[in-house]
Amino acid sequence: MLPETAPVRACGLVYPARALTEPLCFLNVKGKRKNMPIEISEKTIKHEFIEKVSQLSGQDIFKCFQCGTCGGACPMSGQMETLPRRIMRMAQLGMEENVSGSETSFTCASCHTCSANCPRGIDLARVMEAVRLLTLRKNVNKINPSKVPAETVRELPQIALVSCFRKLTS
Amino acid sequence: MKVSYYPGCTLKTKAKNLEDAAVSSMAALGVDFQELQRWNCCGAVHSLADDDLIHHVAPVRDLVRAMDQGSRQVVTLCSMCYNTLARANLLMRNDEVKRKTINDFMSEETDYHGEVEVVHFLNFLRDTVGWDTLRSRVKASLNGMKVASYYGCTLVRPADVAIEPAGGGKVMNEFIDALGGSPVDFAASTVCCGSYQILAHPEAALEVIGRIIESASSAGAEALILSCPLCEYNLAKKQAELVSSGKISKKLPVYYFTQLLAIALGLGPEASRLDLNEAGSVEFLKAKNFPVESGARA
Ligand code: SF4
Ligand code: SF4
């Protein structure tokens, strides 16, 4: 627990620790599309998660200023549980369960449209990959290759199977 | 002219039409397309995680093969292979630490530093064959056919491997123009087709596929060309489903760009391989009097 006056780095700004002990944000958690107050405090911020996402992606996630350009450009955002911008915000706030619990990174098609359009130069496709891998590396599979119908396997080009299994299995 | 060529897995099975049309066209243009020996799968996607080097080994090994076989250039047709090989190549050129780790790991191979140039076939046509030469070899002009160029993702993103500088979007249009067609610009030409999510999240992919087809059709396109077997699967093979669900109003014939090349060069059905395309695509060209039909459809 930090002393009340110690600065805490979150969302690219430096807040006094006390500000973070009060419920300060209204975020749509898990894409429920309704506002519910959440508490963000030194207790809830998973610094290790922030560290891992930053390392794996090689991106400074605190550069994100929440403009939403990524989700606006994303071809899959209509079907995403949580918009990419929210994933970024929750990652900045170390909300590991919410980020990893969202299906968003597994709905991502790695098309790099967000990365090409982000005004802050964040390669969001890499952040999505980092988030995906942190789940997959716990031996989780989001698709079971042996359950794909034989008909589909016959039909699909190899690159579809290889890329899907590469992105969605451990 | 001898040119080293990397086909990739899908061109040997589901996308024979992409490959056969290119190889026959090159023979007709006097280019000796030599398939790389002992190539392996490129891995289909570039690994984006900083600590994941093992997945770069497959594409790098292909580049080592090309170098060892004396090639300065390796030409690819499939957009996904192009992207994966070109990005692995950049990594080997620019990242000293990762280059050393990968080279050390592949100790049985020659050390590689990005010596080979990865070139997409469209750029090869533009820079090595040349549009003027191509134009002069056209025997069956597309005759003003309104063709939309679909780039998708992997030919244009990320910017450091894009086949053209940002804001380009010209090479496929120039190609259509050289064959006598009329290029049609449409808003969705670089919108992702949903890629591999057609397997895991088909609803999300179908939604965007529908938008792309509608965008091309409403811009006045009579046909659409592309260079990726996964885009082809999504944009061509899924159209019947989209028509029945009302997501698109009518079907749009889809071809690999190499197929229109073979046709314009006056090559027969064994070269253009339209027998492997979706129903409707042969009929469309037949109605325009191109000699596209062989015996039985596969
Ligand atoms: S486009 Fe970039 S800065 Fe804007 S919300 Fe997305 S990640 Fe953040
Ligand atoms: S890379 Fe993923 S998150 Fe980014 S635009 Fe494409 S599908 Fe959306």
Side-chain angles (χ1 to χ4, degrees):
Chain A
M1 188 72 191
L2 288 164
E4 277 208 338
T5 48
V8 172
R9 192 171 183 227
C11 26
L13 300 169
V14 177
Y15 288 112
R18 198 169 57 152
L20 290 182
T21 62
E22 288 156 12
L24 55 75
C25 290
F26 288 85
L27 279 179
N28 289 358
V29 177
K30 281 215 80 170
K32 290 292 185 298
R33 310 243 166 179
K34 67 173 186 224
N35 291 333
M36 55 187 213
I38 52 157
E39 189 200 317
I40 294 164
S41 70
E42 193 47 35
K43 278 206 299 279
T44 68
I45 297 175
K46 300 281 187 349
H47 291 284
E48 204 188 321
F49 179 71
I50 298 176
E51 199 56 36
K52 276 189 193 149
V53 171
S54 308
Q55 263 173 16
L56 279 181
S57 67
Q59 306 299 305
D60 180 357
I61 59 172
F62 291 103
K63 273 191 186 166
C64 171
F65 59 14
Q66 293 290 293
C67 65
T69 306
C70 43
C74 173
M76 311 306 274
S77 62
Q79 303 273 338
M80 271 175 178
E81 191 180 3
T82 321
L83 287 171
R85 170 178 72 80
R86 294 181 195 280
I87 294 288
M88 289 303 289
R89 183 65 173 144
M90 296 194 296
Q92 289 174 338
L93 295 171
M95 296 164 68
E96 179 171 8
E97 284 94 59
N98 301 94
V99 174
S100 296
S102 167
E103 280 300 308
T104 286
S105 70
F106 297 103
T107 315
C108 165
S110 307
C111 71
H112 289 77
T113 311
C114 47
S115 314
N117 287 287
C118 172
R120 300 289 285 147
I122 300 167
D123 195 341
L124 185 53
R126 287 186 189 266
V127 177
M128 289 291 175
E129 179 109 326
V131 170
R132 257 193 309 272
L133 285 176
L134 287 174
T135 299
L136 296 180
R137 286 178 182 178
K138 291 176 182 149
N139 217 5
V140 173
N141 288 324
K142 287 290 173 173
I143 185 162
N144 183 344
S146 63
K147 293 263 164 64
V148 177
E151 177 64 20
T152 310
V153 174
R154 254 197 307 281
E155 236 187 30
L156 274 178
Q158 278 85 338
I159 43 173
L161 297 166
V162 174
S163 53
C164 194
F165 299 156
R166 283 274 309 275
K167 295 293 182 186
L168 303 184
T169 64
S170 54
Chain B
M1 185 199 329
K2 186 191 137 187
V3 176
S4 199
Y5 151 64
Y6 174 85
C9 313
T10 311
L11 272 68
K12 294 296 176 189
T13 52
K14 309 284 163 63
K16 282 302 285 172
N17 37 356
L18 173 56
E19 177 175 44
D20 290 354
V23 172
S24 315
S25 300
M26 285 304 95
L29 290 170
V31 179
D32 181 12
F33 238 32
Q34 295 215 347
E35 190 172 318
L36 207 63
Q37 282 160 30
R38 297 178 61 220
W39 57 266
N40 51 253
C41 171
C42 68
V45 279
H46 182 74
S47 277
L48 299 169
D50 199 61
D51 66 350
D52 182 10
L53 297 187
I54 192 72
H55 287 110
H56 299 311
V57 169
V60 170
R61 191 190 280 121
D62 285 318
L63 298 167
V64 173
R65 295 269 184 277
M67 181 176 71
D68 287 348
Q69 288 163 37
S71 308
R72 299 280 311 277
Q73 257 194 358
V74 59
V75 175
T76 63
L77 283 162
C78 164
S79 311
M80 281 179 92
C81 298
Y82 166 76
N83 192 278
T84 311
L85 292 173
R87 290 170 86 175
N89 206 27
L90 274 191
L91 182 90
M92 294 303 277
R93 278 184 191 171
N94 302 335
D95 193 320
E96 213 178 308
V97 178
K98 293 195 173 103
R99 172 172 65 225
K100 183 168 180 336
T101 312
I102 293 171
N103 276 331
D104 287 352
F105 179 76
M106 298 168 71
S107 55
E108 77 284 12
E109 308 277 1
T110 324
D111 272 6
Y112 185 74
H113 313 82
E115 286 85 348
V116 173
E117 202 70 50
V118 180
V119 180
H120 189 266
F121 190 62
L122 278 165
N123 282 2
F124 177 80
L125 286 173
R126 182 191 63 200
D127 303 333
T128 308
V129 175
W131 299 135
D132 290 339
T133 309
L134 187 57
R135 199 170 272 117
S136 72
R137 304 295 289 271
V138 167
K139 293 213 177 71
S141 162
L142 296 187
N143 216 359
M145 186 195 297
K146 298 196 190 94
V147 185
S149 314
Y150 178 72
Y151 291 83
C153 308
T154 45
L155 293 182
V156 294
R157 283 185 295 271
D160 51 8
V161 294
I163 61 168
E164 284 184 294
K170 286 206 301 271
V171 61
M172 255 203 236
N173 280 4
E174 290 165 356
F175 167 78
I176 296 165
D177 186 67
L179 303 185
S182 308
V184 175
D185 286 323
F186 72 115
S189 75
T190 61
V191 170
C192 171
C193 70
S195 188
Y196 54 82
Q197 291 292 4
I198 194 67
L199 183 56
H201 293 92
E203 353 55 57
L206 287 169
E207 196 181 295
V208 66
I209 296 165
R211 284 213 305 269
I212 294 166
I213 300 292
E214 280 299 293
S215 166
S217 294
S218 60
E222 302 173 272
L224 179 141
I225 55 167
L226 37 70
S227 87
C228 171
L230 179 43
C231 299
E232 199 268 348
Y233 178 80
N234 286 354
L235 295 183
K237 307 248 172 351
K238 290 287 155 188
Q239 279 191 33
E241 203 174 318
L242 290 167
V243 170
S244 39
S245 66
K247 282 211 168 68
I248 59 173
S249 48
K250 63 173 191 328
K251 287 176 88 172
L252 178 70
V254 172
Y255 308 97
Y256 288 119
F257 72 102
T258 55
Q259 295 183 290
L260 290 194
L261 173 65
I263 287 164
L265 291 174
L267 306 176
E270 334 68 59
S272 56
R273 294 303 308 268
L274 286 152
D275 55 308
L276 298 174
N277 289 49
E278 280 305 281
S281 35
V282 177
E283 290 73 5
F284 169 73
L285 290 175
K286 218 175 108 194
K288 293 197 173 271
N289 292 321
F290 289 102
V292 290
E293 224 169 14
S294 58
R297 282 181 70 92

